[in-house]
Amino acid sequence: MLKRFISISWVSAMLDTLPQISAGSSGLGSAEGRKSLTIRVAVASRDGDRIDLHFGHAEAFSVFDVDGQGPRRVDLRRIEDHRTSEDEDPRETIYRMIRDCAVLLVAKVGAAPQEALASRGVEATNMYAGKGVDPALRELYANKLAATDDAPLDTAEFRLLHAMLRVADLERSIDFYCGKLGMTVLERREHKKNMFSQAYLGYGDGSNGMTVELVANWLHEDAYVLGDAFGHIAIGVKNINRLCDRLAAAGVPMPRPPRSQRHGETIVAFVEDPDGYRIELVQAPQASEPGTFEVVHDTQA
């Protein structure tokens, strides 16, 4: 039987040369599909023992095929061997040379390359950073395999968090929501590197209901057209990795797989609904801890 390679982000984005997952009785939901599951994984590691390299610092990636018997290395791919010219951006070389992989394990990865890889069917994640390569690959496989079961989803601790709106004039918008609707500014930040201002508005201390996130991009001069002013809906969740594995297994687009944030233990992922609207999934260090606002750079802001 041919071994099936699963694209965790979405199967339709896999290369045509790779075996596809059939939707019939031999799919991932069946015992036969689970038994034959093979995942191709690229790993960024200095010495091959631990996942300890930043995406932007890696010059080579080890490629593994992982199945029920464990991981086995099938290739070592160096950027210098795959670039088409001396002027090619190293990131573009990486995108092309690991496109047949379903997952990329790195110590750190930015939002922009993570989304670029997701659009090519590769789930880039730092959720296994610092772990040994062999145990990390075995854990990854177990998690992806478990995601194929049909157990009911536990939503007891899920809650809506905030909705993000892009605005032309932040002060004008704050005046409207606060001055006319009685909200208060819960948090405000200026992002010089990414050139946007950000404010969270809500009622009370924001711990007992949804908040509104307003984002003003410094370089955007034209008025927003109704429709593209909307950013995303955020949902506070528990067990974010398990949830995202289930969503990916179901074919839900995931432009940003789970990624820990720079300034804390918060884990964030982005998925898309059938109409393409983005939903931010947020797992705070403690699900019961109120008032946590983690900075998330939305490349579509």
Side-chain angles (χ1 to χ4, degrees):
M1 173 182 289
L2 290 175
K3 292 182 178 179
R4 297 176 174 86
F5 292 91
I6 178 174
S7 171
I8 302 305
S9 296
W10 49 79
V11 174
S12 62
M14 292 296 287
L15 291 174
D16 294 337
T17 55
L18 292 176
Q20 298 295 311
I21 303 294
S22 65
S25 60
S26 61
L28 288 179
S30 67
E32 181 183 357
R34 290 192 293 269
K35 183 178 180 180
S36 62
L37 174 65
T38 298
I39 307 175
R40 177 157 288 183
V41 185
V43 175
S45 174
R46 288 185 174 87
D47 56 10
D49 292 331
R50 307 187 71 80
I51 301 166
D52 56 5
L53 265 181
H54 189 295
F55 172 80
H57 298 165
E59 297 180 354
F61 296 86
S62 295
V63 177
F64 297 82
D65 282 347
V66 191
D67 57 21
Q69 302 301 313
R72 62 186 182 282
R73 198 174 85 162
V74 296
D75 202 359
L76 177 63
R77 300 177 185 176
R78 297 180 175 86
I79 295 177
E80 63 180 16
D81 296 333
H82 288 265
R83 62 169 47 133
T84 56
S85 68
E86 293 184 358
D87 298 329
E88 184 178 43
D89 188 323
R91 291 172 297 183
E92 292 297 330
T93 306
I94 296 172
Y95 300 156
R96 185 179 62 256
M97 77 183 198
I98 65 169
R99 193 178 175 185
D100 63 327
C101 298
V103 183
L104 168 63
L105 302 185
V106 292
K108 292 183 180 180
V109 61
Q114 189 183 40
E115 289 207 19
L117 285 162
S119 71
R120 293 162 171 81
V122 183
E123 174 191 348
T125 177
N126 64 356
M127 298 311 302
Y128 298 85
K131 294 186 177 182
V133 172
D134 185 85
L137 290 171
R138 292 178 185 273
E139 180 182 348
L140 170 73
Y141 183 83
N143 291 338
K144 300 307 182 188
L145 193 62
T148 64
D149 64 31
D150 298 322
L153 185 64
D154 180 9
T155 61
E157 297 186 42
F158 285 23
R159 62 188 178 99
L160 290 171
L161 292 181
H162 66 259
M164 189 271 270
L165 297 174
R166 299 182 181 92
V167 298
D169 186 327
L170 184 60
E171 297 300 333
R172 182 180 64 183
S173 296
I174 290 177
D175 178 69
F176 172 79
Y177 284 102
C178 295
K180 296 180 173 60
L181 296 179
M183 293 186 182
T184 58
V185 178
L186 303 172
E187 185 146 355
R188 182 167 179 172
R189 297 179 181 179
E190 302 295 325
H191 302 275
K192 295 181 180 179
K193 180 179 180 180
N194 292 283
M195 304 184 70
F196 71 91
S197 300
Q198 177 186 46
Y200 286 94
L201 312 180
Y203 297 103
D205 63 3
S207 62
N208 295 320
M210 284 187 62
T211 61
V212 176
E213 176 191 359
L214 302 178
V215 172
N217 292 283
W218 299 351
L219 299 182
H220 190 94
E221 298 180 353
D222 299 330
Y224 284 105
V225 178
L226 289 179
D228 68 358
F230 180 80
H232 61 263
I233 294 172
I235 302 176
V237 303
K238 185 179 180 181
N239 296 321
I240 189 171
N241 291 317
R242 184 184 306 170
L243 172 62
C244 288
D245 284 342
R246 287 174 62 110
L247 295 175
V252 175
M254 190 176 303
R256 289 197 207 169
R259 182 169 69 98
S260 59
Q261 299 301 293
R262 182 180 303 172
H263 301 294
E265 299 175 358
T266 300
I267 301 172
V268 169
F270 279 81
V271 298
E272 293 181 352
D273 76 359
D275 293 299
Y277 290 112
R278 289 197 171 192
I279 300 171
E280 181 185 3
L281 305 176
V282 181
Q283 177 177 293
Q286 295 181 2
S288 60
E289 186 178 52
T292 299
F293 301 108
E294 185 69 27
V295 178
V296 179
H297 301 309
D298 189 342
T299 56
Q300 293 189 357

